[in-house]
Amino acid sequence: MADTYRADSAPTQFVAGALARYGYRELGPEGDIPVVLLQRFRGTIDDWDPYLVDLLSENRRVILLDNVGVGSSDGTSPSTVKEMGDGLADFLQAMNLPQIDLIGWSMGGFVAQLFALDHPDLVRRVVIAGTGPGEPSIRPVEDQRSVEIRAKVDLDIPDILFIFFPDTDEGRAAGMEVLGRCYHHESGEILTVREESWKNQAEAISRWNSGDGSAWSRLSELRVPMLVTAGAQDVMEEAVQAFETSRQVNGLSSATIFSNSGHAFLFQHAERFASTATNFLAGN
């Protein structure tokens, strides 16, 4: 594995939209349809594994976005998933991008599902990872320690390992390997999400998981091919939701479960996830 990553030298760029001045990074070859990456709760463009980003951008233009109120973008994050999708639409208009592929992780997967339903003309294909459709009857009760950790202002290493990786010696070792290659951007900065914004994000997640404004009742309307991926040991968004989501989508969905992996399975198994996602987005 390389000791340095192209993602760590991709500069933060800015574009002014109607809702915010958006910070983003992009890398990879120019192409007609870029892949836009949507982050998790409290995540910024600095929270992507640079190795995964490098793999995804080997043959595709990849854009890492800080949505409204997140990281390098100004404003305050909204408290509904729909409004987060409005931010994405505003960014695409500001960037003059008529169509994209989407990869949404965790909360970013909420946004990706709803955006594909609301804007099918803007999205060609979607990959969602470690996420749910927003239906309480098929969402197992979240691990209580996970709930407590998500509410903390400051997370320590044991907290991060527990919520993102399997709670085993092997899982924690994999987590430390991932953390060891993250947060080395050449800017020297580590972007964060302001407290007001992440508290609004938490409200949006609560609404979504209660079924308020979620994608669940509309998934049969989806006209965009979607790959549903999950980690088998995810303590936040259990993998059973991936199966139930794929059942709701009329012939346009497939599901892949990554064994021995948690919420950050896409980092833990970066090569496998990148290969799976890239092949799907290419129509293979």
Side-chain angles (χ1 to χ4, degrees):
M1 185 182 300
D3 293 325
T4 59
Y5 304 98
R6 289 180 292 106
D8 284 335
S9 60
T12 304
Q13 303 179 67
F14 297 91
V15 65
L19 300 178
R21 178 177 179 258
Y22 298 93
Y24 68 97
R25 292 178 188 146
E26 63 176 300
L27 62 164
E30 288 294 325
D32 293 335
I33 300 179
V35 183
V36 176
L37 306 189
L38 302 179
Q39 257 289 4
R40 58 168 171 84
F41 172 58
R42 294 176 70 169
T44 75
I45 54 179
D46 275 336
D47 289 294
W48 289 107
D49 178 354
Y51 182 46
L52 174 62
V53 175
D54 276 15
L55 291 170
L56 292 171
S57 62
E58 283 182 353
N59 298 300
R60 292 290 302 272
R61 177 187 177 193
V62 172
I63 299 175
L64 289 64
L65 170 65
D66 275 341
N67 210 335
V68 179
V70 171
S72 56
S73 297
D74 60 15
T76 301
S77 182
S79 58
T80 69
V81 172
K82 183 183 185 308
E83 290 174 296
M84 294 177 187
D86 292 341
L88 174 58
D90 184 45
F91 172 75
L92 297 183
Q93 182 173 8
M95 292 285 288
N96 194 29
L97 292 173
Q99 192 175 46
I100 58 169
D101 287 339
L102 273 176
I103 298 179
W105 176 33
S106 194
M107 186 186 72
F110 300 167
V111 179
Q113 291 173 72
L114 202 59
F115 192 82
L117 285 162
D118 290 341
H119 303 280
D121 55 321
L122 297 179
V123 184
R124 185 182 65 168
R125 285 178 172 254
V126 178
V127 177
I128 57 174
T131 192
E135 171 50 41
S137 69
I138 59 98
R139 185 177 190 268
V141 176
E142 184 176 347
D143 186 286
Q144 184 57 36
R145 184 179 170 192
S146 172
V147 174
E148 293 169 357
I149 289 172
R150 287 199 292 107
K152 286 186 175 183
V153 174
D154 297 307
L155 277 61
D156 57 25
I157 294 297
D159 290 336
I160 293 170
L161 293 177
F162 179 80
I163 61 174
F164 289 117
F165 302 93
D167 192 25
T168 63
D169 289 344
E170 182 182 359
R172 286 183 285 274
M176 291 303 296
E177 181 179 342
V178 171
L179 291 177
R181 62 184 185 239
C182 294
Y183 309 114
H184 298 295
H185 193 268
E186 66 177 18
S187 66
E189 296 180 313
I190 299 178
L191 300 168
T192 61
V193 179
R194 297 173 285 281
E195 186 170 352
E196 182 181 6
S197 282
W198 69 253
K199 286 185 174 179
N200 282 353
Q201 290 180 345
E203 183 178 344
I205 291 170
S206 179
R207 287 178 172 176
W208 178 273
N209 284 332
S210 73
D212 181 6
S214 74
W216 174 255
S217 65
R218 299 177 55 198
L219 284 176
S220 62
E221 305 168 14
L222 188 67
R223 297 295 176 264
V224 176
M226 183 167 70
L227 172 65
V228 187
T229 62
Q233 283 75 40
D234 192 331
V235 297
M236 282 194 284
E237 297 290 350
E238 289 205 20
V240 66
Q241 296 180 103
F243 173 72
E244 296 293 344
T245 298
S246 64
R247 290 181 63 180
Q248 292 294 108
V249 180
N250 291 328
L252 292 172
S253 173
S254 58
T256 301
I257 309 299
F258 288 72
S259 62
N260 191 30
S261 55
H263 196 59
F265 66 92
L266 63 172
F267 301 168
Q268 184 180 345
H269 302 292
E271 293 178 359
R272 284 173 50 202
F273 178 82
S275 176
T276 301
T278 299
N279 284 335
F280 175 81
L281 294 176
N284 298 329

